Amino acid sequence: MHMSRPIQLRSLQTIVPDIVLEQNAVRDVFAAQPELSRLARRLVTASFDGSGIETRHSVLTELDPSQEASSTLFYDRESGSLLSPGTKTRNDIYIREADQLYIAAARRALDADPDLVASDVTHIVTVSCTGFHAPGPDYAIVRALGLSDSVERYHLGFMGCYASMPALRAAAQFCRADPQAVVLVVSVELCTLHLRSSDDPDQIIAASLFSDGAAAGVVTARELPTPVPAFSLDRFHTAIAPEGERDMAWTIGDSGFEMVLSTAVPKIIGENIEAALGPLWAEDDAPSAAFDEGRIGDAVQHWAIHPGGRSILDHVQDRLHLSDAQLQPAREVLRTCGNMSSATVLFVLKHILEESDARAGERVTAMAFGPGLTAESALLTVLGEE
């Protein structure tokens, strides 16, 4: 179906929990754990110091020395010991904390839109890989915001850091099928619930990167009267680098969810980035020609690359010859918020809209990586008053 109006992503909103984790302080706690080997201590220091992160956020009050801890499940302040609660305990906290963030982010996105209200919403797509429960967050949003019981609800669970991209793609497909659809997309990730002390290099890298955050936006093709900062969702593409299947994975253990994130991931992404992104631009003359000539950064001005870590951004920048300014939104989100799994790329897109002097008509490439090794990408255009 040809659509005369663009399918737009608008009213992007983000939330981080109140607990701020200073990277240096968290590093010192992890490095001081008595069970760590000397090699593991060195790896903790190198991973935390080389992460490109200064602050992260968490829902766990006991990790913030300025607040009175309501429990001692993850960290004993007197002994300085990191504890390892079971998966059920971690998931119970997820159920309580995540639903509050889902509702708050969804409400904030709707409140930010000058033309849409709760009764306009026809679909909800929720995203998370850090907890499970049913009825889930999609149900919680419907009840809390007073949406119609007939709103179509979909949850993308346990896909990993790239999951907000297929959520946006699904939302765009709903809008192609029904040009009057209004789709609320909400991602909440509470990654700090699964951090633990370990000699395992994968767990150490995860502990140095992951954090908590929430993001929400509205996807619609409706003709609305008020121009607002937004993106048109032009095209999506999925690619797999099967040689990285064992280098990035996400499984459920007895003491929380367990991340496999090997040091080979940035190199694999760098080696596959051109093949993964090429089809995204193939139908556009200017990006396609620029890509063939090795100057894709000239044709695509903005880059919402999921900051899975500093080294990933370095490899992408070097391989595609992007400027420091083009990677600044991703690096800034990493610096201030860490890796919030699926929510992170939405933080980067919001940064581009609000803080990068983006002008109507400029192109954006968004890309996120996850288990598989899967790369999900999208081509967008900045909307607004010309």
Side-chain angles (χ1 to χ4, degrees), residues 278 281-300:
W281 306 312
E283 297 178 31
D284 283 66
D285 291 341
S288 180
F291 176 64
D292 291 341
E293 296 168 9
R295 50 177 188 85
I296 187 60
D298 295 340
V300 179

Side-chain angles (χ1 to χ4, degrees), residues 162 199 245 284 347 362:
Y162 65 79
D199 268 357
E245 181 178 353
D284 283 66
F347 275 70
E362 292 182 333

Side-chain angles (χ1 to χ4, degrees), residues 6-9 165 168-169 172 176 230-238 276-288 291 296-305 345 349 361-368 376-383:
I7 298 171
Q8 59 178 303
L9 169 63
M165 303 299 285
L168 292 177
R169 182 175 59 222
R176 287 192 185 92
F231 300 105
S232 69
L233 299 175
D234 303 334
R235 192 174 305 117
F236 293 87
H237 181 67
T238 303
L277 286 173
L280 190 69
W281 306 312
E283 297 178 31
D284 283 66
D285 291 341
S288 180
F291 176 64
I296 187 60
D298 295 340
V300 179
Q301 293 83 9
H302 303 283
W303 293 77
I305 304 298
V345 71
L349 284 168
E362 292 182 333
R363 309 307 295 275
V364 183
T365 291
M367 191 175 201
E376 290 278 357
S377 55
L379 184 64
L380 305 87
T381 303
V382 179
L383 299 176

